[in-house]
Amino acid sequence: MAMSIQYLLVAAGFTLALLTIANAIRSYYRLSHIPGPPLAAFTRLWLLSGLLGTRNHLNLHEANLKYGSLARTGPNHLTTSDPELFRRMNAPRSPYRRSPMFEAFRFKPGSDNVLSERQEEKHERLRRKMAAGYAGKENPRLENDIDERIQDLISLIERKYICTEKAPGIQMDFARKIQFFTLDVISALAFDQPFGDLIVDEDKFDYIKCTEEAMPMMMLMTELPEVRSFLEKSSLVKLLAPSATDKIGLGKIIAIGKEKVGERFGDGRKVKQDMLGSFLNHGLSQEEAESETLLQLLAGSDTTATAIRATILFLITTPRVLWRLRAEIDEAVHKGSISSPIKDSEARALPYLQACIKEGLRIFPPVTGLFDKVVPPEGDTFNGLFLPGGTEIGISFWAVHRSINVFGPDANVFRPERWLDVPEAQLNKMERNNELIFGYGRFKCLGQSVALVELNKVFVELLRRYDITLIDPSKPWSSVNEGIFLQQDMWVRVTRRGGGMD
């Protein structure tokens, strides 16, 4: 009897091994017509190693350069640098659907937000409820709130970080101060009250610290759905997830959001014309509003901060461009055609400023996550290649925005002039490419208009006042890629323009 059980176990093990091998072979041949790194055809280790490192955006870019605009980067995963395929997958009536990776962005266990929601109807309903609020159409104070945060940033610099003859060694971590700025902007717009990081000059609730700690694991979970599913079904997720009872970090932010949302309900509810007020007016429930609060901060502060840091870095290390932008700003000030702070409408009328903003977003796209979509069950054919149903396809934003076919042989060069004095057909082609920075179609970023207002203002207000120089040009910053960029130690010296150090 014991021998029979032993033979049965051996047979079962042998059968399992055969099934595993057969499944690996079937998986390999399923996408064998699409080239990619050899290891990626058999295992997810190639993708996971990139996520565990700090340069996954570059790995994906290099894969597309080497293997083509559609490269195999996993047993069931493709990565594309083709903007037309990206549009095809994200178009309003596209049969492509979000992959399980999006569920990793559930910040509250069991509760989806507009980023994590995979069901089309629910996702579209959430977008409709929030679109007007993000667009600022129902928040008459939107631009004024951003102006106030600009003034807080200027006040902080003037109070603590101006280099003078008496204090020539003052240094400022530009990366941190800019994230204080973007956090205060989005918290003011979301909750009608800024966190106040700029006022106290610190990460008041340890949001930045906790985000930097959480993002690597969050991105790893995007490619480990089995692990994520196990954690969600077990009680472990409740122990690991941030809680509203936490005194600091993401849990504290959830608590603030819960409190601010709660004020808008009940007998003594507050009615305000702000972003949250717009959401609620369009039918967002109390639970839905609570689920969106942390996403608002993550999507509205980290990415915009990266755009500002990167653009400033390229400006101050490209003297020709900085000189021309300053000349445009100074001329506008002399003519009296811009206010202080500059209005969004005035900034849009400065062509070289707009070219610099577009070029900054292009050369260093703030978001580099794959945002995989799933090929419909019947499969699809694109550019003559059959894409089997169920295949997950992600986008390499770094490759898309450094395309030589679109931007020319100097696509890796920061050159804002490419957006000026160019044939209309070429400009339209580049514009269509650049709009993908904020997504496309039914998955387009809701906060695009807010981010652009911030960008239109902050560069003018800083550069009209200050000279900003790097302390160590050989190491301008610490920049780690985790789907978004986690950046710090961008040490600079700030002096007032005109007379150098006072």
Side-chain angles (χ1 to χ4, degrees):
M1 181 69 178
M3 187 66 71
S4 298
I5 294 175
Q6 188 177 22
Y7 281 134
L8 186 61
L9 290 173
V10 170
F14 184 70
T15 303
L16 181 62
L18 285 177
L19 288 173
T20 301
I21 293 170
N23 186 60
I25 293 172
R26 184 190 68 83
S27 178
Y28 169 76
Y29 279 107
R30 189 168 167 271
L31 294 174
S32 61
H33 58 297
I34 300 174
L39 181 65
F42 297 98
T43 173
R44 284 178 286 178
L45 285 175
W46 188 88
L47 265 178
L48 291 173
S49 65
L51 290 172
L52 288 169
T54 60
R55 64 184 311 274
N56 197 45
H57 59 303
L58 300 178
N59 291 346
L60 297 171
H61 183 202
E62 289 161 6
N64 283 129
L65 287 175
K66 184 174 181 178
Y67 298 105
S69 63
L70 196 61
R72 186 177 192 176
T73 50
N76 189 46
H77 197 285
L78 304 176
T79 299
T80 184
S81 60
D82 191 321
E84 293 309 317
L85 180 55
F86 184 67
R87 291 189 183 91
R88 185 189 190 100
M89 295 190 295
N90 289 271
R93 287 176 290 279
S94 171
Y96 284 76
R97 295 293 180 262
R98 279 179 162 175
S99 77
M101 72 159 285
F102 285 88
E103 295 173 359
F105 297 105
R106 285 179 182 150
F107 303 117
K108 184 180 177 183
S111 182
D112 280 303
N113 53 62
V114 74
L115 179 59
S116 68
E117 181 58 68
R118 294 177 62 206
Q119 294 186 36
E120 287 286 306
E121 298 79 11
K122 290 184 179 180
H123 173 258
E124 183 54 35
R125 281 202 301 272
L126 281 173
R127 283 185 65 88
R128 284 199 301 267
K129 292 174 183 178
M130 296 189 290
Y134 272 109
K137 295 178 181 178
E138 298 175 2
N139 182 0
R141 280 187 49 85
L142 186 146
E143 187 166 354
N144 186 66
D145 281 342
I146 296 175
D147 286 344
E148 289 178 359
R149 305 293 78 76
I150 291 275
Q151 187 53 54
D152 288 343
L153 175 61
I154 299 301
S155 296
L156 173 60
I157 294 172
E158 289 287 336
R159 190 169 70 248
K160 294 182 66 174
Y161 295 107
I162 295 292
C163 284
T164 65
E165 289 182 358
K166 293 181 180 180
I170 294 176
Q171 301 179 14
M172 180 178 79
D173 184 357
F174 187 84
R176 276 291 184 262
K177 307 316 168 191
I178 286 301
Q179 189 147 12
F180 293 170
F181 165 70
T182 57
L183 275 169
D184 277 1
V185 166
I186 197 62
S187 56
L189 295 178
F191 309 134
D192 197 37
Q193 180 180 343
F195 284 166
D197 285 4
L198 287 170
I199 301 300
V200 298
D201 191 21
E202 67 180 47
D203 183 12
K204 201 171 176 183
F205 302 113
D206 278 353
Y207 167 85
I208 300 172
K209 176 177 179 290
C210 291
T211 300
E212 290 175 344
E213 292 173 350
M215 280 306 298
M217 182 58 66
M218 189 181 298
M219 291 309 299
L220 194 61
M221 288 299 101
T222 64
E223 295 301 330
L224 293 173
E226 305 91 347
V227 176
R228 187 178 66 249
S229 178
F230 167 76
L231 290 173
E232 287 186 350
K233 290 175 182 176
S234 71
S235 58
L236 288 174
V237 71
K238 293 180 181 178
L239 297 174
L240 298 173
S243 167
T245 59
D246 296 343
K247 299 300 182 184
I248 59 172
L250 303 185
K252 179 62 177 179
I253 304 304
I254 291 173
I256 294 172
K258 194 178 181 73
E259 177 188 348
K260 294 299 181 181
V261 170
E263 291 174 354
R264 310 298 176 97
F265 291 87
D267 295 335
R269 65 180 180 272
K270 297 179 180 179
V271 178
K272 295 184 178 181
Q273 283 188 298
D274 57 10
M275 190 179 285
L276 178 56
S278 175
F279 294 168
L280 301 181
N281 288 340
H282 286 272
L284 205 67
S285 69
Q286 185 169 358
E287 183 179 0
E288 288 171 336
E290 290 173 1
S291 295
E292 295 297 330
T293 53
L294 192 54
L295 176 62
Q296 282 179 277
L297 295 173
L298 184 66
S301 68
D302 296 74
T303 53
T304 307
T306 293
I308 296 171
R309 296 170 188 139
T311 303
I312 281 289
L313 179 59
F314 278 97
L315 285 171
I316 64 177
T317 55
T318 316
R320 173 189 57 79
V321 174
L322 180 61
W323 181 88
R324 183 170 175 180
L325 177 57
R326 278 248 177 85
E328 182 178 70
I329 294 170
D330 291 346
E331 182 180 7
V333 171
H334 180 72
K335 290 181 176 179
S337 57
I338 64 173
S339 312
S340 181
I342 190 171
K343 295 178 181 177
D344 182 55
S345 58
E346 295 168 348
R348 291 176 188 274
L350 298 178
Y352 199 67
L353 170 66
Q354 295 306 308
C356 288
I357 291 172
K358 291 174 185 176
E359 187 72 348
L361 290 169
R362 182 197 72 81
I363 200 76
F364 207 98
V367 179
T368 61
L370 287 164
F371 298 108
D372 302 337
K373 304 301 185 299
V374 181
V375 179
E378 67 275 14
D380 191 16
T381 299
F382 182 77
N383 284 349
L385 284 175
F386 179 68
L387 308 174
T391 303
E392 296 183 9
I393 305 178
I395 179 77
S396 171
F397 285 103
W398 206 262
V400 166
H401 299 297
R402 291 178 179 238
S403 169
I404 291 174
N405 293 332
V406 176
F407 296 104
D410 66 344
N412 289 323
V413 176
F414 179 73
R415 186 173 66 84
E417 288 80 7
R418 76 177 75 250
W419 299 94
L420 305 170
D421 303 321
V422 64
E424 186 175 355
Q426 176 63 16
L427 178 61
N428 290 339
K429 187 177 181 181
M430 294 193 301
E431 294 276 12
R432 272 175 54 79
N433 222 66
N434 244 42
E435 71 180 7
L436 303 182
I437 289 165
F438 293 97
Y440 182 77
R442 65 195 196 278
F443 303 121
K444 191 176 183 67
C445 174
L446 287 168
Q448 175 180 353
S449 58
V450 174
L452 290 177
V453 173
E454 291 179 75
L455 298 181
N456 278 338
K457 290 174 177 288
V458 71
F459 299 122
V460 172
E461 294 309 312
L462 288 175
L463 296 177
R464 76 196 295 182
R465 290 175 171 83
Y466 305 121
D467 286 316
I468 303 171
T469 55
L470 290 168
I471 298 296
D472 184 358
S474 69
K475 189 180 179 183
W477 60 11
S478 168
S479 182
V480 175
N481 181 259
E482 299 290 354
I484 59 174
F485 288 93
L486 307 178
Q487 296 164 327
Q488 60 182 320
D489 296 333
M490 187 175 171
W491 295 102
V492 300
R493 296 177 74 250
V494 182
T495 56
R496 294 189 187 95
R497 285 187 66 198
M501 293 190 296
D502 293 340

